[in-house]
Structure formats: C-alpha cells, structure tokens
Amino acid sequence: MEKFYNLILNTINTKNTIVVFFVFLRLQVFAQDTIIFKSRTQTISIVEEINPETIKYKKFDLVDGPLIIVNRNDVIKIKYANGTVDEITAAPVLNNELIKTDSALVNKTNIFSLDLVNLGVKKLNIGYEKIIANGHLGVGINGYYAFDEEAFIYQHLFFSNNIIYESHGVGVTVKYYPKELLKRKGFYVVLNSDYNTNQYKAYNLNLFNAAYEQYLYKEQQGIINEKPSLDTFYSYKKGSTYKGAIGLGMYTSPIANLYISVDGIIGFSKNYLPEFVHPHFSYGYLTNNVTETLVYLRASLKIGYRFGFKKIK
C-alpha cells in the first residue's frame, strides 16, 4: 500500500515538472525577437534599445553575454516576440552642421580664408582662424603682401598720402560670436591689430634743391642745361606701420564647409616713415613728417573653408 502511494506521488511530481518545463520553454520561444538585416540574414535576439543611429541587442541563447550594437541602416525590420513587426527606416543623415554641439567638437573647427577686397586692390591677404570657447570665440592670424605701390593708398581710402612701393606684414584678429559659429549665419565683433613693413619711394629734397640751385646758376650764366625733376631724386627706404581697429561683421555658411564673411572696421594707423621727405599725395606739396597717425576705414569680404568639426556619433 505504501509503495503504491509513493508511485502515485512520484508520478504527480514528474507530470508537474514536465508541465513547468514546457511552460518555460513556451515562454522562452514566445519572448524571442528576430532581427532581419539587409543582407537577408536573421538573428534570434532580445532587442534592448533602438536609437536614431543604432540598434542594441543581445543574442537569445546568450542573455548574459555582451551587448551588440549595429548600425540602424543595416537592418530592414524586427519581428518582436508579441508578433508585431517594426519596419526600420533609414537613420537621418547628419551633415557637418552639428545638430547638438559640445565644446570638444566645436573647438576642433578651423577656418582658412581669402580677403576678396584686398585682392581687388592688389593686396593678398590670407588668414587662419581657430575656434575656441565652445564656438563663441575665434582667434586668428593673417599674413598679407601688397604687390602694387598704390595698394596701400587704396587700403586706407583717402587718409594715406605716402606712395608705397611694397608692403607686407602680419596681423592678429580676435572675433566674438554671440551665437556659436556652427550656426548657419550670425554676426560677430572683431578686434584687429596689424604690423607691416613698407618700402617707401622716398624723395631727397636736399639733393633736389642743390641740383635746382645749380640749374638756376648755370641759367644765369647763359649755360643751357636741363631743369632737374624731383622724380629723379628718390630711393626706396623702409618704414613700418602699426594698426589697431574694431568693427562689426556678418557671416553665413550656405553649405557645410563654406564660410563667407563681410565686415567693416574703423581704426588708427601709426606710420613710421623714413627720414627722407615724401611728396604729400593729396595736396601736391612736400612734407617731412617722420611719423604720422591716421584714422582709417576698411571693409573686407572673405571667403573661406572651415573644417575640423564632424557629426556626433
């Protein structure tokens, strides 16, 4: 009797174990997701997370294993355990304009530019700008070379009166962008300081006066001789110019890497002239100023290429 009772009890326990096993197996099969890739391969998995750019999942037979991350664009659809199917659309393409910015990416931005206004007056001006302070500050350096003696006069509009044969130099620029630079357009405040060396066409008035007196003396003696010209009494001497200015500008980026800016500045220029005299360009007489301070206006139109920033992963 006791043996028969134990047999019945063991049978009941065995049936319960089998029932529990099949229920667990059914739940496990029911809980699996299927990822279908563009390559037509399928992966039985447990989907953990779907992001705009990635899909994260674990292998179904390795739940305690590593989290696998794949590109969203590589997946066609996902069949979930509850029978629903999710058609996976392509991830949005992130262009080089940052959708969100952080300082680590923004501060990698660099800009090379060419000033078209300077180029129009035969003055080559090339600049480099580095973006810092999370896109709000630009620190730059520029180098320029004037390859026409009138370029310096045009650059200073109507305030310069010294004929320059050659000019080259360097400058430092600081720009403040109220809106971070990576926006499509905005404005900025610019501070600029330049130093350049100049080759002046310097006239020697003393030699000219001596030659003119000699001419007059010979003429009084009845000796025919050629009247001297001031244009023959010159030499090229070096001088220098320091400039400081402040101004406002606007920029735009029609496409991701293109940078276009226009600005206007007002500043002061202190010219250190050679000790030779120079003809006054505006009024036609001579002056022997060794130094002069000028107020000048300047406009620039720059086209540049900006690089270094990239889309956020």
Side-chain angles (χ1 to χ4, degrees):
M1 186 68 180
E2 183 179 352
K3 290 183 178 180
F4 179 73
Y5 175 78
N6 289 334
L7 179 62
I8 293 175
L9 185 61
N10 289 335
T11 302
I12 293 174
N13 290 336
T14 302
K15 288 182 179 181
N16 289 336
T17 302
I18 294 174
V19 169
V20 170
F21 173 76
F22 278 105
V23 169
F24 176 76
L25 182 63
R26 178 176 176 80
L27 288 175
Q28 287 285 72
V29 173
F30 185 74
Q32 69 187 23
D33 303 320
T34 303
I35 301 176
I36 303 174
F37 292 88
K38 287 184 178 179
S39 60
R40 300 301 175 183
T41 58
Q42 298 184 14
T43 299
I44 306 301
S45 62
I46 298 176
V47 176
E48 298 284 344
E49 188 177 332
I50 298 178
N51 295 316
E53 291 186 317
T54 60
I55 295 175
K56 301 178 182 180
Y57 69 92
K58 289 187 175 182
K59 289 186 177 180
F60 178 75
D61 56 355
L62 196 60
V63 178
D64 294 330
L67 186 67
I68 301 172
I69 302 175
V70 296
N71 194 316
R72 180 190 178 106
N73 291 333
D74 293 336
V75 177
I76 298 177
K77 58 185 175 180
I78 298 175
K79 294 180 180 179
Y80 295 105
N82 61 3
T84 61
V85 177
D86 189 1
E87 300 288 343
I88 303 299
T89 57
V93 177
L94 295 177
N95 59 21
N96 283 339
E97 289 293 314
L98 293 178
I99 291 178
K100 64 177 183 177
T101 60
D102 63 39
S103 58
L105 293 177
V106 177
N107 291 343
K108 292 181 179 180
T109 306
N110 305 269
I111 301 173
F112 280 108
S113 62
L114 173 67
D115 193 327
L116 300 182
V117 172
N118 277 279
L119 194 63
V121 294
K122 301 181 180 180
K123 189 171 185 179
L124 183 65
N125 190 337
I126 298 176
Y128 165 77
E129 185 176 351
K130 174 71 175 177
I131 304 303
I132 59 176
N134 199 20
H136 291 286
L137 197 64
V139 179
I141 185 171
N142 62 287
Y144 53 88
Y145 175 77
F147 45 90
D148 185 275
E149 65 180 33
E150 291 183 305
F152 190 80
I153 296 169
Y154 296 149
Q155 183 67 13
H156 288 76
L157 300 179
F158 302 105
F159 296 100
S160 182
N161 54 24
N162 296 295
I163 298 177
I164 292 180
Y165 175 71
E166 178 181 289
S167 177
H168 56 273
V170 295
V172 176
T173 300
V174 177
K175 292 180 180 178
Y176 172 68
Y177 298 90
K179 295 182 179 180
E180 62 186 26
L181 177 67
L182 298 186
K183 302 296 183 183
R184 286 289 190 182
K185 58 184 178 180
F187 69 95
Y188 56 83
V189 179
V190 57
L191 295 174
N192 176 254
S193 178
D194 290 339
Y195 168 78
N196 59 279
T197 59
N198 310 314
Q199 283 276 62
Y200 291 92
K201 194 173 185 179
Y203 291 84
N204 194 320
L205 186 58
N206 293 330
L207 291 179
F208 171 74
N209 288 336
Y212 194 77
E213 289 176 1
Q214 185 70 18
Y215 161 76
L216 292 178
Y217 174 77
K218 288 183 178 181
E219 194 175 57
Q220 290 175 357
Q221 299 298 320
I223 301 174
I224 300 176
N225 64 105
E226 184 178 356
K227 184 177 180 179
S229 172
L230 180 62
D231 288 336
T232 61
F233 292 90
Y234 69 86
S235 61
Y236 292 109
K237 295 292 182 179
K238 287 185 178 180
S240 59
T241 303
Y242 295 90
K243 293 182 286 184
I246 185 171
L248 292 174
M250 297 182 62
Y251 74 91
T252 182
S253 294
I255 58 178
N257 294 100
L258 181 64
Y259 175 83
I260 300 174
S261 70
V262 57
D263 60 46
I265 64 175
I266 182 171
F268 294 90
S269 170
K270 191 170 187 63
N271 295 335
Y272 292 86
L273 310 178
E275 294 181 358
F276 285 79
V277 295
H278 301 266
H280 195 288
F281 192 79
S282 299
Y283 303 104
Y285 61 84
L286 299 177
T287 178
N288 58 358
N289 291 337
V290 177
T291 63
E292 62 180 3
T293 302
L294 306 171
V295 177
Y296 71 97
L297 302 173
R298 186 174 67 191
S300 69
L301 172 60
K302 294 182 180 180
I303 183 169
Y305 176 78
R306 63 180 190 172
F307 64 97
F309 52 93
K310 55 188 178 181
K311 62 185 180 181
I312 294 177
K313 296 295 184 182

mmCIF file with all atom_site columns, all heavy atoms in Angstrom, residues 150-168:
data_model
loop_
_atom_site.group_PDB
_atom_site.id
_atom_site.type_symbol
_atom_site.label_atom_id
_atom_site.label_alt_id
_atom_site.label_comp_id
_atom_site.label_asym_id
_atom_site.label_entity_id
_atom_site.label_seq_id
_atom_site.pdbx_PDB_ins_code
_atom_site.Cartn_x
_atom_site.Cartn_y
_atom_site.Cartn_z
_atom_site.occupancy
_atom_site.B_iso_or_equiv
_atom_site.pdbx_formal_charge
_atom_site.auth_seq_id
_atom_site.auth_comp_id
_atom_site.auth_asym_id
_atom_site.auth_atom_id
_atom_site.pdbx_PDB_model_num
ATOM 1   N N   . GLU A 1 150 ? 50.258 101.326 -55.168 1.00 0.00 ? 150 GLU A N   1
ATOM 2   C CA  . GLU A 1 150 ? 49.060 102.073 -54.825 1.00 0.00 ? 150 GLU A CA  1
ATOM 3   C C   . GLU A 1 150 ? 48.122 101.308 -53.889 1.00 0.00 ? 150 GLU A C   1
ATOM 4   O O   . GLU A 1 150 ? 47.162 101.863 -53.400 1.00 0.00 ? 150 GLU A O   1
ATOM 5   C CB  . GLU A 1 150 ? 48.301 102.471 -56.084 1.00 0.00 ? 150 GLU A CB  1
ATOM 6   C CG  . GLU A 1 150 ? 49.008 103.503 -56.936 1.00 0.00 ? 150 GLU A CG  1
ATOM 7   C CD  . GLU A 1 150 ? 48.173 103.912 -58.127 1.00 0.00 ? 150 GLU A CD  1
ATOM 8   O OE1 . GLU A 1 150 ? 47.775 103.019 -58.882 1.00 0.00 ? 150 GLU A OE1 1
ATOM 9   O OE2 . GLU A 1 150 ? 47.901 105.115 -58.265 1.00 0.00 ? 150 GLU A OE2 1
ATOM 10  N N   . ALA A 1 151 ? 48.420 100.047 -53.639 1.00 0.00 ? 151 ALA A N   1
ATOM 11  C CA  . ALA A 1 151 ? 47.516 99.243  -52.813 1.00 0.00 ? 151 ALA A CA  1
ATOM 12  C C   . ALA A 1 151 ? 47.375 99.823  -51.408 1.00 0.00 ? 151 ALA A C   1
ATOM 13  O O   . ALA A 1 151 ? 46.301 99.813  -50.834 1.00 0.00 ? 151 ALA A O   1
ATOM 14  C CB  . ALA A 1 151 ? 48.016 97.805  -52.744 1.00 0.00 ? 151 ALA A CB  1
ATOM 15  N N   . PHE A 1 152 ? 48.461 100.333 -50.867 1.00 0.00 ? 152 PHE A N   1
ATOM 16  C CA  . PHE A 1 152 ? 48.423 100.866 -49.504 1.00 0.00 ? 152 PHE A CA  1
ATOM 17  C C   . PHE A 1 152 ? 47.530 102.093 -49.431 1.00 0.00 ? 152 PHE A C   1
ATOM 18  O O   . PHE A 1 152 ? 46.795 102.311 -48.481 1.00 0.00 ? 152 PHE A O   1
ATOM 19  C CB  . PHE A 1 152 ? 49.844 101.211 -49.073 1.00 0.00 ? 152 PHE A CB  1
ATOM 20  C CG  . PHE A 1 152 ? 49.965 101.553 -47.618 1.00 0.00 ? 152 PHE A CG  1
ATOM 21  C CD1 . PHE A 1 152 ? 50.013 100.562 -46.656 1.00 0.00 ? 152 PHE A CD1 1
ATOM 22  C CD2 . PHE A 1 152 ? 50.034 102.872 -47.214 1.00 0.00 ? 152 PHE A CD2 1
ATOM 23  C CE1 . PHE A 1 152 ? 50.138 100.878 -45.323 1.00 0.00 ? 152 PHE A CE1 1
ATOM 24  C CE2 . PHE A 1 152 ? 50.158 103.200 -45.877 1.00 0.00 ? 152 PHE A CE2 1
ATOM 25  C CZ  . PHE A 1 152 ? 50.217 102.201 -44.932 1.00 0.00 ? 152 PHE A CZ  1
ATOM 26  N N   . ILE A 1 153 ? 47.559 102.901 -50.471 1.00 0.00 ? 153 ILE A N   1
ATOM 27  C CA  . ILE A 1 153 ? 46.723 104.101 -50.516 1.00 0.00 ? 153 ILE A CA  1
ATOM 28  C C   . ILE A 1 153 ? 45.251 103.708 -50.569 1.00 0.00 ? 153 ILE A C   1
ATOM 29  O O   . ILE A 1 153 ? 44.422 104.237 -49.835 1.00 0.00 ? 153 ILE A O   1
ATOM 30  C CB  . ILE A 1 153 ? 47.097 104.969 -51.726 1.00 0.00 ? 153 ILE A CB  1
ATOM 31  C CG1 . ILE A 1 153 ? 48.534 105.474 -51.576 1.00 0.00 ? 153 ILE A CG1 1
ATOM 32  C CG2 . ILE A 1 153 ? 46.144 106.142 -51.875 1.00 0.00 ? 153 ILE A CG2 1
ATOM 33  C CD1 . ILE A 1 153 ? 49.087 106.106 -52.817 1.00 0.00 ? 153 ILE A CD1 1
ATOM 34  N N   . TYR A 1 154 ? 44.899 102.758 -51.416 1.00 0.00 ? 154 TYR A N   1
ATOM 35  C CA  . TYR A 1 154 ? 43.506 102.314 -51.513 1.00 0.00 ? 154 TYR A CA  1
ATOM 36  C C   . TYR A 1 154 ? 43.042 101.709 -50.193 1.00 0.00 ? 154 TYR A C   1
ATOM 37  O O   . TYR A 1 154 ? 41.914 101.919 -49.771 1.00 0.00 ? 154 TYR A O   1
ATOM 38  C CB  . TYR A 1 154 ? 43.356 101.273 -52.619 1.00 0.00 ? 154 TYR A CB  1
ATOM 39  C CG  . TYR A 1 154 ? 43.647 101.781 -54.006 1.00 0.00 ? 154 TYR A CG  1
ATOM 40  C CD1 . TYR A 1 154 ? 44.171 100.932 -54.969 1.00 0.00 ? 154 TYR A CD1 1
ATOM 41  C CD2 . TYR A 1 154 ? 43.389 103.103 -54.341 1.00 0.00 ? 154 TYR A CD2 1
ATOM 42  C CE1 . TYR A 1 154 ? 44.431 101.387 -56.244 1.00 0.00 ? 154 TYR A CE1 1
ATOM 43  C CE2 . TYR A 1 154 ? 43.656 103.565 -55.618 1.00 0.00 ? 154 TYR A CE2 1
ATOM 44  C CZ  . TYR A 1 154 ? 44.180 102.705 -56.563 1.00 0.00 ? 154 TYR A CZ  1
ATOM 45  O OH  . TYR A 1 154 ? 44.445 103.160 -57.808 1.00 0.00 ? 154 TYR A OH  1
ATOM 46  N N   . GLN A 1 155 ? 43.934 100.971 -49.552 1.00 0.00 ? 155 GLN A N   1
ATOM 47  C CA  . GLN A 1 155 ? 43.556 100.308 -48.309 1.00 0.00 ? 155 GLN A CA  1
ATOM 48  C C   . GLN A 1 155 ? 43.149 101.317 -47.246 1.00 0.00 ? 155 GLN A C   1
ATOM 49  O O   . GLN A 1 155 ? 42.274 101.069 -46.438 1.00 0.00 ? 155 GLN A O   1
ATOM 50  C CB  . GLN A 1 155 ? 44.720 99.453  -47.817 1.00 0.00 ? 155 GLN A CB  1
ATOM 51  C CG  . GLN A 1 155 ? 44.441 98.651  -46.571 1.00 0.00 ? 155 GLN A CG  1
ATOM 52  C CD  . GLN A 1 155 ? 43.418 97.566  -46.813 1.00 0.00 ? 155 GLN A CD  1
ATOM 53  O OE1 . GLN A 1 155 ? 43.108 97.268  -47.948 1.00 0.00 ? 155 GLN A OE1 1
ATOM 54  N NE2 . GLN A 1 155 ? 42.886 96.999  -45.767 1.00 0.00 ? 155 GLN A NE2 1
ATOM 55  N N   . HIS A 1 156 ? 43.775 102.463 -47.232 1.00 0.00 ? 156 HIS A N   1
ATOM 56  C CA  . HIS A 1 156 ? 43.469 103.487 -46.246 1.00 0.00 ? 156 HIS A CA  1
ATOM 57  C C   . HIS A 1 156 ? 42.532 104.557 -46.798 1.00 0.00 ? 156 HIS A C   1
ATOM 58  O O   . HIS A 1 156 ? 42.420 105.649 -46.246 1.00 0.00 ? 156 HIS A O   1
ATOM 59  C CB  . HIS A 1 156 ? 44.757 104.144 -45.739 1.00 0.00 ? 156 HIS A CB  1
ATOM 60  C CG  . HIS A 1 156 ? 45.539 103.247 -44.848 1.00 0.00 ? 156 HIS A CG  1
ATOM 61  N ND1 . HIS A 1 156 ? 46.279 102.203 -45.333 1.00 0.00 ? 156 HIS A ND1 1
ATOM 62  C CD2 . HIS A 1 156 ? 45.692 103.211 -43.500 1.00 0.00 ? 156 HIS A CD2 1
ATOM 63  C CE1 . HIS A 1 156 ? 46.868 101.580 -44.335 1.00 0.00 ? 156 HIS A CE1 1
ATOM 64  N NE2 . HIS A 1 156 ? 46.523 102.169 -43.203 1.00 0.00 ? 156 HIS A NE2 1
ATOM 65  N N   . LEU A 1 157 ? 41.888 104.244 -47.908 1.00 0.00 ? 157 LEU A N   1
ATOM 66  C CA  . LEU A 1 157 ? 40.940 105.164 -48.540 1.00 0.00 ? 157 LEU A CA  1
ATOM 67  C C   . LEU A 1 157 ? 41.594 106.516 -48.801 1.00 0.00 ? 157 LEU A C   1
ATOM 68  O O   . LEU A 1 157 ? 42.592 106.577 -49.518 1.00 0.00 ? 157 LEU A O   1
ATOM 69  C CB  . LEU A 1 157 ? 39.683 105.295 -47.662 1.00 0.00 ? 157 LEU A CB  1
ATOM 70  C CG  . LEU A 1 157 ? 38.927 103.981 -47.424 1.00 0.00 ? 157 LEU A CG  1
ATOM 71  C CD1 . LEU A 1 157 ? 37.716 104.223 -46.534 1.00 0.00 ? 157 LEU A CD1 1
ATOM 72  C CD2 . LEU A 1 157 ? 38.491 103.363 -48.735 1.00 0.00 ? 157 LEU A CD2 1
ATOM 73  N N   . PHE A 1 158 ? 41.093 107.590 -48.227 1.00 0.00 ? 158 PHE A N   1
ATOM 74  C CA  . PHE A 1 158 ? 41.608 108.912 -48.538 1.00 0.00 ? 158 PHE A CA  1
ATOM 75  C C   . PHE A 1 158 ? 42.524 109.463 -47.451 1.00 0.00 ? 158 PHE A C   1
ATOM 76  O O   . PHE A 1 158 ? 42.863 110.634 -47.453 1.00 0.00 ? 158 PHE A O   1
ATOM 77  C CB  . PHE A 1 158 ? 40.440 109.880 -48.753 1.00 0.00 ? 158 PHE A CB  1
ATOM 78  C CG  . PHE A 1 158 ? 39.514 109.446 -49.836 1.00 0.00 ? 158 PHE A CG  1
ATOM 79  C CD1 . PHE A 1 158 ? 38.275 108.915 -49.528 1.00 0.00 ? 158 PHE A CD1 1
ATOM 80  C CD2 . PHE A 1 158 ? 39.872 109.537 -51.166 1.00 0.00 ? 158 PHE A CD2 1
ATOM 81  C CE1 . PHE A 1 158 ? 37.413 108.502 -50.510 1.00 0.00 ? 158 PHE A CE1 1
ATOM 82  C CE2 . PHE A 1 158 ? 39.016 109.122 -52.162 1.00 0.00 ? 158 PHE A CE2 1
ATOM 83  C CZ  . PHE A 1 158 ? 37.780 108.606 -51.843 1.00 0.00 ? 158 PHE A CZ  1
ATOM 84  N N   . PHE A 1 159 ? 42.941 108.620 -46.524 1.00 0.00 ? 159 PHE A N   1
ATOM 85  C CA  . PHE A 1 159 ? 43.711 109.118 -45.403 1.00 0.00 ? 159 PHE A CA  1
ATOM 86  C C   . PHE A 1 159 ? 45.215 108.947 -45.568 1.00 0.00 ? 159 PHE A C   1
ATOM 87  O O   . PHE A 1 159 ? 45.979 109.501 -44.814 1.00 0.00 ? 159 PHE A O   1
ATOM 88  C CB  . PHE A 1 159 ? 43.266 108.422 -44.105 1.00 0.00 ? 159 PHE A CB  1
ATOM 89  C CG  . PHE A 1 159 ? 41.838 108.725 -43.753 1.00 0.00 ? 159 PHE A CG  1
ATOM 90  C CD1 . PHE A 1 159 ? 40.837 107.821 -44.027 1.00 0.00 ? 159 PHE A CD1 1
ATOM 91  C CD2 . PHE A 1 159 ? 41.507 109.933 -43.161 1.00 0.00 ? 159 PHE A CD2 1
ATOM 92  C CE1 . PHE A 1 159 ? 39.528 108.098 -43.709 1.00 0.00 ? 159 PHE A CE1 1
ATOM 93  C CE2 . PHE A 1 159 ? 40.189 110.213 -42.841 1.00 0.00 ? 159 PHE A CE2 1
ATOM 94  C CZ  . PHE A 1 159 ? 39.205 109.303 -43.122 1.00 0.00 ? 159 PHE A CZ  1
ATOM 95  N N   . SER A 1 160 ? 45.642 108.144 -46.513 1.00 0.00 ? 160 SER A N   1
ATOM 96  C CA  . SER A 1 160 ? 47.069 107.912 -46.678 1.00 0.00 ? 160 SER A CA  1
ATOM 97  C C   . SER A 1 160 ? 47.628 108.820 -47.767 1.00 0.00 ? 160 SER A C   1
ATOM 98  O O   . SER A 1 160 ? 46.982 109.066 -48.785 1.00 0.00 ? 160 SER A O   1
ATOM 99  C CB  . SER A 1 160 ? 47.337 106.453 -47.039 1.00 0.00 ? 160 SER A CB  1
ATOM 100 O OG  . SER A 1 160 ? 48.726 106.240 -47.156 1.00 0.00 ? 160 SER A OG  1
ATOM 101 N N   . ASN A 1 161 ? 48.831 109.293 -47.577 1.00 0.00 ? 161 ASN A N   1
ATOM 102 C CA  . ASN A 1 161 ? 49.398 110.208 -48.560 1.00 0.00 ? 161 ASN A CA  1
ATOM 103 C C   . ASN A 1 161 ? 50.837 109.860 -48.920 1.00 0.00 ? 161 ASN A C   1
ATOM 104 O O   . ASN A 1 161 ? 51.576 110.692 -49.408 1.00 0.00 ? 161 ASN A O   1
ATOM 105 C CB  . ASN A 1 161 ? 49.350 111.652 -48.031 1.00 0.00 ? 161 ASN A CB  1
ATOM 106 C CG  . ASN A 1 161 ? 50.014 111.773 -46.670 1.00 0.00 ? 161 ASN A CG  1
ATOM 107 O OD1 . ASN A 1 161 ? 50.858 110.954 -46.324 1.00 0.00 ? 161 ASN A OD1 1
ATOM 108 N ND2 . ASN A 1 161 ? 49.633 112.795 -45.925 1.00 0.00 ? 161 ASN A ND2 1
ATOM 109 N N   . ASN A 1 162 ? 51.256 108.644 -48.654 1.00 0.00 ? 162 ASN A N   1
ATOM 110 C CA  . ASN A 1 162 ? 52.623 108.249 -48.961 1.00 0.00 ? 162 ASN A CA  1
ATOM 111 C C   . ASN A 1 162 ? 52.631 107.136 -49.996 1.00 0.00 ? 162 ASN A C   1
ATOM 112 O O   . ASN A 1 162 ? 51.951 106.135 -49.845 1.00 0.00 ? 162 ASN A O   1
ATOM 113 C CB  . ASN A 1 162 ? 53.347 107.772 -47.704 1.00 0.00 ? 162 ASN A CB  1
ATOM 114 C CG  . ASN A 1 162 ? 53.490 108.882 -46.697 1.00 0.00 ? 162 ASN A CG  1
ATOM 115 O OD1 . ASN A 1 162 ? 54.176 109.865 -46.960 1.00 0.00 ? 162 ASN A OD1 1
ATOM 116 N ND2 . ASN A 1 162 ? 52.818 108.752 -45.562 1.00 0.00 ? 162 ASN A ND2 1
ATOM 117 N N   . ILE A 1 163 ? 53.408 107.339 -51.020 1.00 0.00 ? 163 ILE A N   1
ATOM 118 C CA  . ILE A 1 163 ? 53.498 106.329 -52.078 1.00 0.00 ? 163 ILE A CA  1
ATOM 119 C C   . ILE A 1 163 ? 54.368 105.177 -51.586 1.00 0.00 ? 163 ILE A C   1
ATOM 120 O O   . ILE A 1 163 ? 55.512 105.377 -51.181 1.00 0.00 ? 163 ILE A O   1
ATOM 121 C CB  . ILE A 1 163 ? 54.097 106.936 -53.353 1.00 0.00 ? 163 ILE A CB  1
ATOM 122 C CG1 . ILE A 1 163 ? 53.188 108.058 -53.866 1.00 0.00 ? 163 ILE A CG1 1
ATOM 123 C CG2 . ILE A 1 163 ? 54.268 105.875 -54.416 1.00 0.00 ? 163 ILE A CG2 1
ATOM 124 C CD1 . ILE A 1 163 ? 53.733 108.772 -55.074 1.00 0.00 ? 163 ILE A CD1 1
ATOM 125 N N   . ILE A 1 164 ? 53.786 104.002 -51.627 1.00 0.00 ? 164 ILE A N   1
ATOM 126 C CA  . ILE A 1 164 ? 54.488 102.820 -51.134 1.00 0.00 ? 164 ILE A CA  1
ATOM 127 C C   . ILE A 1 164 ? 54.793 101.892 -52.301 1.00 0.00 ? 164 ILE A C   1
ATOM 128 O O   . ILE A 1 164 ? 53.921 101.572 -53.115 1.00 0.00 ? 164 ILE A O   1
ATOM 129 C CB  . ILE A 1 164 ? 53.646 102.094 -50.071 1.00 0.00 ? 164 ILE A CB  1
ATOM 130 C CG1 . ILE A 1 164 ? 53.562 102.961 -48.821 1.00 0.00 ? 164 ILE A CG1 1
ATOM 131 C CG2 . ILE A 1 164 ? 54.240 100.747 -49.736 1.00 0.00 ? 164 ILE A CG2 1
ATOM 132 C CD1 . ILE A 1 164 ? 52.769 102.341 -47.721 1.00 0.00 ? 164 ILE A CD1 1
ATOM 133 N N   . TYR A 1 165 ? 56.018 101.459 -52.355 1.00 0.00 ? 165 TYR A N   1
ATOM 134 C CA  . TYR A 1 165 ? 56.439 100.564 -53.419 1.00 0.00 ? 165 TYR A CA  1
ATOM 135 C C   . TYR A 1 165 ? 56.088 99.119  -53.098 1.00 0.00 ? 165 TYR A C   1
ATOM 136 O O   . TYR A 1 165 ? 55.749 98.339  -53.961 1.00 0.00 ? 165 TYR A O   1
ATOM 137 C CB  . TYR A 1 165 ? 57.947 100.712 -53.631 1.00 0.00 ? 165 TYR A CB  1
ATOM 138 C CG  . TYR A 1 165 ? 58.533 99.741  -54.627 1.00 0.00 ? 165 TYR A CG  1
ATOM 139 C CD1 . TYR A 1 165 ? 58.263 99.862  -55.985 1.00 0.00 ? 165 TYR A CD1 1
ATOM 140 C CD2 . TYR A 1 165 ? 59.344 98.695  -54.201 1.00 0.00 ? 165 TYR A CD2 1
ATOM 141 C CE1 . TYR A 1 165 ? 58.796 98.970  -56.897 1.00 0.00 ? 165 TYR A CE1 1
ATOM 142 C CE2 . TYR A 1 165 ? 59.882 97.804  -55.101 1.00 0.00 ? 165 TYR A CE2 1
ATOM 143 C CZ  . TYR A 1 165 ? 59.606 97.946  -56.454 1.00 0.00 ? 165 TYR A CZ  1
ATOM 144 O OH  . TYR A 1 165 ? 60.135 97.063  -57.350 1.00 0.00 ? 165 TYR A OH  1
ATOM 145 N N   . GLU A 1 166 ? 56.160 98.776  -51.836 1.00 0.00 ? 166 GLU A N   1
ATOM 146 C CA  . GLU A 1 166 ? 55.946 97.390  -51.435 1.00 0.00 ? 166 GLU A CA  1
ATOM 147 C C   . GLU A 1 166 ? 55.532 97.348  -49.971 1.00 0.00 ? 166 GLU A C   1
ATOM 148 O O   . GLU A 1 166 ? 55.987 98.159  -49.167 1.00 0.00 ? 166 GLU A O   1
ATOM 149 C CB  . GLU A 1 166 ? 57.242 96.604  -51.643 1.00 0.00 ? 166 GLU A CB  1
ATOM 150 C CG  . GLU A 1 166 ? 57.205 95.164  -51.232 1.00 0.00 ? 166 GLU A CG  1
ATOM 151 C CD  . GLU A 1 166 ? 58.555 94.501  -51.469 1.00 0.00 ? 166 GLU A CD  1
ATOM 152 O OE1 . GLU A 1 166 ? 58.918 94.279  -52.635 1.00 0.00 ? 166 GLU A OE1 1
ATOM 153 O OE2 . GLU A 1 166 ? 59.238 94.228  -50.469 1.00 0.00 ? 166 GLU A OE2 1
ATOM 154 N N   . SER A 1 167 ? 54.672 96.411  -49.600 1.00 0.00 ? 167 SER A N   1
ATOM 155 C CA  . SER A 1 167 ? 54.237 96.295  -48.212 1.00 0.00 ? 167 SER A CA  1
ATOM 156 C C   . SER A 1 167 ? 53.903 94.843  -47.896 1.00 0.00 ? 167 SER A C   1
ATOM 157 O O   . SER A 1 167 ? 53.285 94.155  -48.710 1.00 0.00 ? 167 SER A O   1
ATOM 158 C CB  . SER A 1 167 ? 53.003 97.176  -47.963 1.00 0.00 ? 167 SER A CB  1
ATOM 159 O OG  . SER A 1 167 ? 52.531 97.017  -46.648 1.00 0.00 ? 167 SER A OG  1
ATOM 160 N N   . HIS A 1 168 ? 54.334 94.375  -46.750 1.00 0.00 ? 168 HIS A N   1
ATOM 161 C CA  . HIS A 1 168 ? 53.948 93.044  -46.303 1.00 0.00 ? 168 HIS A CA  1
ATOM 162 C C   . HIS A 1 168 ? 53.967 93.011  -44.783 1.00 0.00 ? 168 HIS A C   1
ATOM 163 O O   . HIS A 1 168 ? 54.651 93.803  -44.135 1.00 0.00 ? 168 HIS A O   1
ATOM 164 C CB  . HIS A 1 168 ? 54.863 91.960  -46.866 1.00 0.00 ? 168 HIS A CB  1
ATOM 165 C CG  . HIS A 1 168 ? 56.312 92.163  -46.549 1.00 0.00 ? 168 HIS A CG  1
ATOM 166 N ND1 . HIS A 1 168 ? 57.138 92.931  -47.350 1.00 0.00 ? 168 HIS A ND1 1
ATOM 167 C CD2 . HIS A 1 168 ? 57.081 91.719  -45.529 1.00 0.00 ? 168 HIS A CD2 1
ATOM 168 C CE1 . HIS A 1 168 ? 58.349 92.944  -46.843 1.00 0.00 ? 168 HIS A CE1 1
ATOM 169 N NE2 . HIS A 1 168 ? 58.347 92.212  -45.724 1.00 0.00 ? 168 HIS A NE2 1
#
